[in-house]
Amino acid sequence: MPWTHPITAKWPATHSDRIQLYSLPTPNGVKVSIALEELRLPYEPHLVSFEANDQLSPEFLSLNPNNKIPAILDPNGPGGKPLALWESGAILVYLAEKTGRLLSADPATRYETLQWLMWQMGGVGPMFGQLGFFNKFAGKDFEDKRPRDRYVNESRRLLGVLDKHLAGRDWIMGGDCSIADIAVFPWVRNLIGFYEAGDLVGWGGYPQVERVLAAFAARPAVQRGLSIPARG
């Protein structure tokens, strides 16, 4: 069924029967590309260039009025009807429930997984992102380091919470990788890599986080998803 959504005027679908992904290879963006790779769902990625202000274009805003990536169109949504969806956490839950993978069907385990997903959305992402701003981008020129240090301290606290939880566990939920890991570890990787904040947060003090991050980064689906969509 051909797409009739306005976003396809700017990003035409070559394979209209596949999930259409509109994204960038950022920590939030790769959550969805990694999940799609892990789940082996057919999809077609489209690069949303912030340099070109694609996220502010009428076509993108027709799908996501919040002008953030990632966003998807699924031609085979609930009830066989097309579904447009944005917010990375919502997309992870949707894809997991669509396939019956990466999110347990057991109610208690499911809600425990969702609590860690919400923990990432409400804490890890905003705090690590602000630390990245103050350490690597425009904030590094501010003479007053109190704002930076606030995010340093909160990032350390969050890493400590995660490190303690991971003791004796292979993954956040125990024995299996889940959408909680897919949400959390791209941000941890970005914090110590792209944001260059390892020394600030005392990276060596979180051996359990370091161990699971290495296992996460070694997964073939993760390695593929981290570079999707490919930058031009």
Side-chain angles (χ1 to χ4, degrees), residues 20-39:
Q20 303 294 302
L21 169 65
Y22 307 91
S23 191
L24 267 174
T26 66
N28 278 336
V30 300
K31 292 178 194 175
V32 177
S33 54
I34 289 170
L36 287 165
E37 290 289 330
E38 288 279 0
L39 296 168

Side-chain angles (χ1 to χ4, degrees), residues 4-229:
T4 57
H5 196 284
I7 198 171
T8 61
K10 187 174 180 68
W11 291 278
T14 302
H15 304 281
S16 60
D17 58 331
R18 301 179 185 178
I19 292 172
Q20 303 294 302
L21 169 65
Y22 307 91
S23 191
L24 267 174
T26 66
N28 278 336
V30 300
K31 292 178 194 175
V32 177
S33 54
I34 289 170
L36 287 165
E37 290 289 330
E38 288 279 0
L39 296 168
R40 300 183 181 275
L41 283 168
Y43 71 102
E44 183 176 352
H46 303 278
L47 182 72
V48 179
S49 172
F50 282 11
E51 289 80 4
N53 286 323
D54 283 347
Q55 77 279 13
L56 300 177
S57 66
E59 294 87 354
F60 188 79
L61 292 172
S62 72
L63 173 54
N64 185 359
N66 196 40
N67 65 271
K68 302 291 184 181
I69 60 94
I72 66 168
L73 291 174
D74 185 357
N76 300 299
K81 298 179 180 179
L83 175 70
L85 196 61
W86 48 277
E87 274 296 335
S88 59
I91 297 171
L92 286 180
V93 174
Y94 170 69
L95 295 176
E97 292 186 340
K98 178 183 177 74
T99 58
R101 294 177 55 206
L102 298 176
L103 181 61
S104 176
D106 171 71
T109 306
R110 180 179 184 274
Y111 283 113
E112 289 170 10
T113 308
L114 292 177
Q115 85 180 350
W116 285 101
L117 173 64
M118 301 303 173
W119 179 79
Q120 183 279 307
M121 300 290 292
V124 167
M127 295 301 107
F128 288 12
Q130 293 291 348
L131 176 51
F133 169 81
F134 281 102
N135 187 53
K136 181 161 184 173
F137 298 110
K140 70 179 183 297
D141 298 324
F142 295 178
E143 291 185 11
D144 187 348
K145 299 305 179 186
R146 286 175 295 179
R148 184 205 67 178
D149 291 345
R150 165 177 164 74
Y151 295 113
V152 169
N153 292 334
E154 182 62 5
S155 295
R156 287 174 174 169
R157 188 191 71 80
L158 291 165
L159 287 167
V161 170
L162 183 60
D163 198 72
K164 183 177 180 180
H165 175 75
L166 289 172
R169 292 180 171 90
D170 291 336
W171 300 100
I172 289 176
M173 290 310 301
D176 296 314
C177 184
S178 72
I179 59 171
D181 303 283
I182 292 173
V184 168
F185 284 103
W187 275 102
V188 176
R189 177 180 178 270
N190 214 59
L191 179 70
I192 63 170
F194 182 71
Y195 288 159
E196 301 172 353
D199 289 343
L200 278 177
V201 298
W203 176 242
Y206 310 102
Q208 304 303 326
V209 180
E210 187 172 6
R211 168 182 60 83
V212 181
L213 174 62
F216 181 76
R219 295 174 72 90
V222 172
Q223 293 173 5
R224 294 190 300 270
L226 285 171
S227 60
I228 297 172

